[in-house]
Amino acid sequence: MSEPLGRVVATERRPNTPHEFHFWTALDSPVGIGTIVRVDGSNPVNGQIPRVYGIVVEGFSYTDLQSPMHDVLGHDGSPGNAGFSITERAEIRLYSAAVLRQIPDEPLQPVPMGEVHLAEEDDVALALRMDSYLKEGAHTGIPVGVYRAGATDSTIYLDAEFLLGPEAAHLNISGMSGLATKTSAVEWLLSSVFTHFPESKGSIAAVCFNVKGPDLLFLDQPGRLDDRDIELYDKMGVAPRPFEKVQYFAPYTAKGFSLNTLRSNEALLHNVTPLTWGLREVLQYAEVLLNRDDIDAKADALIDFIKERVVDHVFEDRKYLSREHTVQSFGDLEEWFRDLLRGLENANSEAWRTHHIATIRKVRNRLSNISTRCAGLVTDSGTVSDLPFGSFEDRMVYVVDVATLEEDAQDLIFARVVSRLREHLERRDLGVKHLIVFVDELNKYAPTDGQDTYVRKMLLDLAERGRYLGLVLFSAQQFRSQVHRRVVGNSGTSLFGRMDADELATPGYAVLSPATRTKLATLEKGQLMVRHPHFTQPIFIRFPRPAVMQGRDGVERYPQGAETSLDVAIYRSLRSLDPSITLPWVQKFVALYDEAELLRARDATTLARPANVQAYFEAQFKRIVPTEAAMAAATASREDARAVRALPIDDPYGF
Amino acid sequence: MAALPGASAMELAAADGDPRGRSEEPPILATPNLIEGDEFRAIRVAPEREARLESGFTGFLDGAQEVRVVSHCDGIPIVWATVSAAVRVRQNRRLLAWQRHAPAVERRYYVPFRYLENARQSFRNDPRVVDTGRPDASGAIPSRHPAALLERAMQKVQQDREALEQTLADAWCGSESSALYIDGSITASMIASASSLAVGVIKSHRTLYAEGAAFRVVVGLTAGERSSVFRVSPRTRNPVASWYVRVRSASGRDALFGLVRVEAALTNDPTARSDEISRWIIAEGSPLALPDGRWDKMSYGIRDTEEFLRAIS
């Protein structure tokens, strides 16, 4: 039993209540804001001595001085004289604590007078009601950090049932930028979830959207940890290792040669997969890219018609079209529009199948524009390289790098990926039972005000219904007050790093005491305030640095690959699949085929990841590979070879 | 009160007049009996302003009394009083309770049984009841006048308080090795009055040892000055050396502002001893004892002791 560090006090002016009490301590006691304490009552209630657990939310210090003027007079107006006083004034440390739990729960009475003790590890578990989910055989605790006060060092667990569903779900992190809190906390928590997620609940994976800089691009590389971090990892039973299974996805740059990501160093490309979509994939989410001005009822009707009747069908209209069209890519669609408009002009007609020519021109303009606005992601050719929907792996992190993309492209990726995840989870065929989606900068995607965008609607839906599907949103932002309240309101668990004073002045933080808000404004790196459904009051914790390489270190150690020429870009892509491939071998093809053909062949090969990469790549050109003699000639004069056109193998005359 | 048939309870408000009051003597001037030098004079012991002095006091002794008239029986006041005394010691510039001797708190009724024929025997025999109707040391019996009875009760309460203080002072002198600052006179105790460890500091000046030329010297003392040392030897008490010290400047104030009278054991070198103790007392003037109304004369250690007694009694 620990020595008491304080005594409960109550006066008529400041009485104790069932939810708050006051106590004083010695001047040198280790109590501070956020300290968890235990009060041992002295009189039994229903035969049981009451125990009350509380967390310090406010502190007061004062002396017997009645007026500051008295101190001035006492030292003749000279502060230096104060140090010569042979006696210190009587001083008090008085604290207010919010009740975390009372045992017994009933009858709920005002906190009794009694001794105050620093809560020990067992007390912390009881105070935070963690005992209900840390039971032998029914352990659903996920360590989130360590609570420290005095000699107490206690692991704080979140309940998986309330963090990852189905009871409650979702997690939201707020904090100032640049203090290594939000991203670090999520990286650490993902490690903890992957380690401690109960077997009985099945498999789990994470999809992380890297929305800025290199934050999440080195999750598979070891980071720098010191002894204190290692201690925390040991205490919480998590191996201090980077993630073993990580897969990166990034679109190409606008030129299409190399991947548009800061993780483009050749040494790291083995687990980076291109993210490219074609017409079909984009049209499903055209609403994301087209604003309200774009899509009036007429345009909407034409887009629907194209989706239903034109794309992926053999389409003919003898009256207006010069030929049959099979539209499978943006290139095909452009051809279809051009043919149709020419036909209408020739026929001097202003409408086609009830669609006015102006509407057709508008829709053509908007849809064609998408491949330009989302260049690198949306391909004219229709090549699709996507996340492995249906074959997600347990404890795998899938990182989608959208950091360097235009806003439209980011929205499109976000909307489509999350929608597909949802569809697969509804059908129970994603490959894993639970999926965490991490989105940073939530105030950008789900702002409080502004237009009701597709992405925001989707995030609201995810926040409100995702937990029933096993789809859990981990979100982060600098200013919680600027995020739609239905998103943050549905987050069962909230983490707070150091906060901006202006943000703390917003109404959302009014429930916190002034001292707690002050502490929030001065939190160190690695400290968080946690709100969780089982905790009746916010708790302050420490968490270790993530065991993964930080983005800034990563880009220094693995500099971004420069935008290269076409031959080098293809060489790099293929070499990650087959290290025996050489640059001259690639250059043979570059000399003979045009850029679009080469990129199509590369995309097909990287998507298929065949056993025999060289044969597969070569097979993409099978019908148009030149004779050996022509190949040799082309190789001999490579500089001129770029002008040589591909020759059909069965047409040696080159017609 | 079943023990006193016919007694009527007092309205609390009526008893609120001076719950901590003490019996006061009439103000008088007395001639100082000099034991230092040939003339009564002012002697500077510290700078007038910004004196940065050390103090040899490590303990502070004070007593308190709380008196309430709780009932009247046939016009006779029934008094309930709490007397207490405590020593606070200074450690690392902070004041704490003295561990060697617990603070003393006693509560008693003060009843003149001479005028209460109906009082039950059990009440008369209760050790918590003091009979204030008995003759005093001079053989005087208080009249039936309620004010006289109340005055006699107050005297008895004061004696009880002084007895508690004396017990603690004697205990200190018998067990400690550093000086004790006592609020009030030390002449009542044979041990304290003869000990070099006890120093009494008197704030009230009902008896002013300043008859004749000494008066101008005493009222003219400036901050940091003391008077010559004189001998005080009350008739029924023990003799001590005494002198006046001006703790704070009285400029613009009444003549007794910041003036205290010090009592210490008689010594062969009164000059050195009174200089040293005077400097200690001036040093104890910081921090101020505000908001106590006697802050000009009171040391912070005594104020702290009073607050302590208020908390425990």
Side-chain angles (χ1 to χ4, degrees):
Chain A
M1 184 65 75
S2 61
E3 282 289 306
L5 56 71
R7 282 196 59 79
V8 176
V9 286
T11 60
E12 195 172 348
R13 277 189 178 179
R14 188 175 286 185
N16 293 333
T17 66
H19 60 268
E20 187 186 48
F21 62 95
H22 314 284
F23 65 96
W24 65 269
T25 69
L27 297 183
D28 60 351
S29 89
V31 169
I33 303 303
T35 303
I36 299 175
V37 294
R38 185 192 76 230
V39 177
D40 294 338
S42 43
N43 300 313
V45 176
N46 291 340
Q48 187 175 354
I49 293 286
R51 275 196 160 184
V52 180
Y53 297 97
I55 182 166
V56 176
V57 294
E58 194 55 274
F60 306 92
S61 164
Y62 53 90
T63 66
D64 55 2
L65 201 61
Q66 204 170 45
S67 155
M69 184 57 77
H70 295 167
D71 210 42
V72 176
L73 295 174
H75 299 111
D76 285 340
S78 172
N81 285 347
F84 291 93
S85 287
I86 50 181
T87 308
E88 298 264 10
R89 281 190 178 278
E91 186 179 343
I92 186 171
R93 292 278 189 279
L94 180 67
Y95 295 97
S96 296
V99 172
L100 288 165
R101 188 176 189 183
Q102 292 208 29
I103 296 175
D105 295 328
E106 293 291 342
L108 186 60
Q109 294 186 340
V111 177
M113 301 306 111
E115 289 180 343
V116 178
H117 298 259
L118 202 62
E120 294 171 0
E121 195 158 3
D122 291 345
D123 295 322
V124 173
L126 282 169
L128 301 181
R129 293 177 162 79
M130 295 194 298
D131 54 325
S132 64
Y133 55 91
L134 298 181
K135 285 182 281 198
E136 195 75 32
H139 193 296
T140 55
I142 307 282
V144 65
V146 166
Y147 159 81
R148 275 189 183 152
T152 305
D153 213 7
S154 180
T155 302
I156 302 298
Y157 295 87
L158 304 177
D159 186 355
E161 300 274 337
F162 286 76
L163 176 66
L164 302 161
E167 301 297 341
H170 312 307
L171 174 132
N172 182 264
I173 308 180
S174 306
M176 286 168 73
S177 290
L179 288 171
T181 300
K182 300 193 292 288
T183 309
S184 296
V186 165
E187 288 168 347
W188 145 249
L189 195 57
L190 281 180
S191 296
S192 183
V193 168
F194 280 12
T195 305
H196 290 277
F197 189 64
E199 260 181 44
S200 58
K201 289 179 72 71
S203 51
I204 187 164
V207 170
C208 301
F209 290 93
N210 184 61
V211 298
K212 61 178 195 301
D215 277 1
L216 298 167
L217 297 184
F218 303 96
L219 298 181
D220 52 349
Q221 301 297 315
R224 282 179 299 184
L225 301 175
D226 60 24
D227 291 346
R228 285 176 302 175
D229 295 317
I230 301 290
E231 267 178 41
L232 288 172
Y233 274 95
D234 286 348
K235 180 158 184 66
M236 290 186 274
V238 177
R241 289 198 301 260
F243 292 94
E244 288 173 3
K245 296 196 287 184
V246 188
Q247 185 68 47
Y248 289 89
F249 296 86
Y252 284 109
T253 59
K255 282 171 77 177
F257 293 179
S258 53
L259 291 173
N260 194 1
T261 174
L262 288 172
R263 190 186 166 97
S264 55
N265 188 289
E266 202 179 341
L268 302 177
L269 284 177
H270 61 281
N271 59 354
V272 185
T273 304
L275 185 69
T276 57
W277 295 333
L279 175 65
R280 195 182 315 117
E281 289 72 31
V282 174
L283 267 190
Q284 286 174 334
Y285 298 94
E287 195 186 331
V288 178
L289 298 170
L290 304 175
N291 61 37
R292 286 180 189 282
D293 297 334
D294 291 333
I295 334 176
D296 53 23
K298 294 171 191 169
D300 202 23
L302 178 57
I303 291 170
D304 263 357
F305 180 83
I306 293 169
K307 273 198 284 192
E308 296 297 321
R309 301 284 301 278
V310 179
V311 175
D312 288 339
H313 291 86
V314 177
F315 189 86
E316 66 172 341
D317 185 329
R318 294 186 180 205
K319 188 175 177 186
Y320 293 104
L321 293 175
S322 63
R323 61 180 175 87
E324 280 183 359
H325 287 266
T326 306
V327 175
Q328 291 181 312
S329 68
F330 274 95
D332 297 339
L333 183 65
E334 174 58 21
E335 283 294 319
W336 180 81
F337 270 121
R338 196 180 299 151
D339 195 11
L340 177 63
L341 288 167
R342 195 183 299 126
L344 285 168
E345 284 165 9
N346 290 342
N348 203 21
S349 174
E350 289 198 338
W352 177 73
R353 299 192 184 192
T354 73
H355 302 294
H356 193 269
I357 190 167
T359 305
I360 297 171
R361 285 187 190 284
K362 177 180 172 181
V363 170
R364 175 202 181 189
N365 175 279
R366 300 293 188 273
L367 291 182
S368 302
N369 204 14
I370 288 176
S371 65
T372 310
R373 283 151 69 194
C374 302
L377 169 68
V378 175
T379 59
D380 280 336
S381 62
T383 308
V384 177
S385 173
D386 217 342
L387 274 74
F389 299 110
S391 57
F392 269 45
E393 290 182 38
D394 190 22
R395 266 70 172 179
M396 173 80 106
V397 183
Y398 301 90
V399 180
V400 184
D401 187 8
V402 297
T404 51
L405 299 187
E406 294 293 324
E407 201 170 320
D408 284 345
Q410 287 188 350
D411 287 354
L412 178 61
I413 290 175
F414 191 72
R416 183 169 181 277
V417 169
V418 175
S419 298
R420 292 294 309 276
L421 292 171
R422 189 193 158 122
E423 288 163 19
H424 281 277
L425 281 167
E426 277 175 352
R427 295 199 301 264
R428 303 275 174 210
D429 65 356
L430 182 62
V432 291
K433 204 170 168 191
H434 297 84
L435 187 84
I436 295 167
V437 174
F438 172 53
V439 186
D440 200 352
E441 307 294 343
L442 196 64
N443 46 329
K444 182 175 157 191
Y445 299 108
T448 310
D449 41 25
Q451 289 185 7
D452 195 13
T453 63
Y454 186 93
V455 172
R456 186 167 79 172
K457 278 191 280 190
M458 199 190 57
L459 279 167
L460 287 173
D461 183 66
L462 171 57
E464 287 168 349
R465 281 174 281 277
R467 68 188 166 109
Y468 301 109
L469 303 171
L471 188 56
V472 179
L473 178 66
F474 279 19
S475 54
Q477 69 287 314
Q478 188 169 356
F479 303 117
R480 184 181 166 96
S481 63
Q482 293 176 10
V483 176
H484 199 290
R485 63 180 182 179
R486 277 162 58 199
V487 176
V488 291
N490 276 293
S491 288
T493 304
S494 297
L495 306 179
F496 301 83
R498 187 192 297 182
M499 304 293 291
D500 184 85
D502 289 345
E503 172 69 3
L504 287 169
T506 57
Y509 299 88
V511 292
L512 302 176
S513 70
T516 306
R517 289 202 293 268
T518 303
K519 178 156 180 163
L520 261 183
T522 55
L523 282 184
E524 295 171 14
K525 280 183 181 180
Q527 283 188 309
L528 290 172
M529 188 181 84
V530 183
R531 294 175 75 173
H532 186 61
H534 287 292
F535 309 162
T536 52
Q537 296 290 332
I539 304 302
F540 289 95
I541 59 154
R542 286 178 183 277
F543 68 96
R545 278 185 287 191
V548 302
M549 189 175 285
Q550 296 303 289
R552 210 176 306 158
D553 297 339
V555 290
E556 277 179 23
R557 179 145 180 210
Y558 298 104
Q560 188 180 11
E563 182 77 47
T564 58
S565 57
L566 180 60
D567 51 358
V568 174
I570 294 173
Y571 161 68
R572 283 185 180 166
S573 297
L574 298 182
R575 216 170 77 112
S576 66
L577 304 175
D578 178 359
S580 70
I581 288 175
T582 62
L583 182 60
W585 182 82
V586 174
Q587 285 170 334
K588 283 194 302 187
F589 294 92
V590 173
L592 291 171
Y593 302 106
D594 69 19
E595 188 178 299
E597 289 169 309
L598 287 159
L599 293 177
R600 192 194 299 257
R602 178 201 62 180
D603 292 346
T605 309
T606 51
L607 182 65
R609 305 178 81 85
N612 187 339
V613 176
Q614 293 189 31
Y616 192 89
F617 181 72
E618 205 167 337
Q620 305 309 305
F621 304 100
K622 205 167 191 176
R623 291 196 312 115
I624 53 172
V625 166
T627 60
E628 286 298 320
M631 180 76 95
T635 309
S637 56
R638 204 166 53 236
E639 290 306 309
D640 300 330
R642 290 178 193 284
V644 177
R645 305 312 309 154
L647 298 177
I649 199 164
D650 55 350
D651 183 1
Y653 300 101
F655 291 112
Chain B
M1 288 180 66
L4 285 172
S8 60
M10 290 283 292
E11 288 285 335
L12 189 60
D16 268 351
D18 180 17
R20 306 181 70 79
R22 296 184 182 189
S23 172
E24 297 285 12
E25 297 164 356
I28 55 168
L29 277 173
T31 304
N33 180 9
L34 270 183
I35 56 172
E36 182 193 22
D38 299 329
E39 61 170 339
F40 199 87
R41 62 190 181 95
I43 301 161
R44 178 153 299 282
V45 292
E48 194 167 359
R49 288 178 58 82
E50 298 197 2
R52 292 175 175 178
L53 305 171
E54 298 290 322
S55 170
F57 294 117
T58 59
F60 298 85
L61 166 61
D62 194 13
Q65 62 191 48
E66 183 169 348
V67 181
R68 288 191 184 280
V69 179
V70 292
S71 175
H72 278 103
C73 184
D74 296 334
I76 305 300
I78 309 299
V79 171
W80 169 253
T82 302
V83 293
S84 55
V87 174
R88 300 277 283 169
V89 293
R90 182 161 49 209
Q91 287 178 5
N92 297 326
R93 301 177 72 203
R94 295 213 174 265
L95 293 163
L96 308 167
W98 185 33
Q99 295 298 314
R100 286 211 171 120
H101 204 297
V105 181
E106 293 176 357
R107 295 180 177 84
R108 294 194 185 97
Y109 285 107
Y110 294 84
V111 184
F113 286 114
R114 176 182 300 275
Y115 303 117
L116 295 169
E117 297 82 6
N118 294 336
R120 302 241 167 100
Q121 195 59 40
S122 58
F123 186 56
R124 290 173 187 272
N125 297 337
D126 191 327
R128 294 176 304 158
V129 180
V130 177
D131 185 358
T132 55
R134 291 182 178 163
D136 63 10
S138 62
I141 295 170
S143 75
R144 200 181 189 112
H145 192 300
L149 291 172
L150 190 57
E151 181 67 24
R152 169 59 70 89
M154 297 287 270
Q155 284 171 4
K156 293 291 284 180
V157 170
Q158 197 160 315
Q159 285 168 8
D160 288 348
R161 174 182 58 80
E162 284 176 355
L164 289 184
E165 290 175 353
Q166 194 175 320
T167 305
L168 287 175
D170 293 353
W172 179 278
C173 295
S175 61
E176 298 289 343
S177 58
S178 53
L180 176 68
Y181 187 123
I182 299 171
D183 187 51
S185 176
I186 60 171
T187 56
S189 163
M190 188 188 297
I191 295 171
S193 63
S195 171
S196 61
L197 302 181
V199 176
V201 180
I202 297 109
K203 304 187 295 290
S204 63
H205 302 289
R206 306 296 291 179
T207 301
L208 195 60
Y209 295 88
E211 181 72 84
F215 183 81
R216 284 183 182 279
V217 174
V218 170
V219 298
L221 288 174
T222 59
E225 285 185 335
R226 70 167 175 88
S227 71
S228 301
V229 182
F230 51 91
R231 179 188 174 96
V232 171
S233 46
R235 203 160 27 93
T236 57
R237 297 192 171 196
N238 301 288
V240 291
S242 184
W243 63 94
Y244 287 97
V245 178
R246 182 78 71 179
V247 177
R248 299 182 195 285
S249 170
S251 175
R253 313 267 188 165
D254 73 83
L256 302 182
F257 184 86
L259 186 72
V260 296
R261 184 169 65 82
V262 187
E263 288 182 355
L266 292 164
T267 169
N268 294 332
D269 187 1
T271 302
R273 183 66 174 150
S274 57
D275 283 353
E276 180 182 47
I277 291 173
S278 299
R279 281 194 285 271
W280 293 354
I281 290 168
I282 293 168
E284 295 295 346
S286 177
L288 287 188
L290 279 166
D292 194 290
R294 302 159 296 169
W295 64 274
D296 59 314
K297 304 176 183 73
M298 183 186 267
S299 84
Y300 182 78
I302 295 300
R303 168 174 158 70
D304 179 89
T305 311
E306 281 195 1
E307 289 298 310
F308 176 75
L309 291 172
R310 203 188 304 272
I312 64 166
S313 59

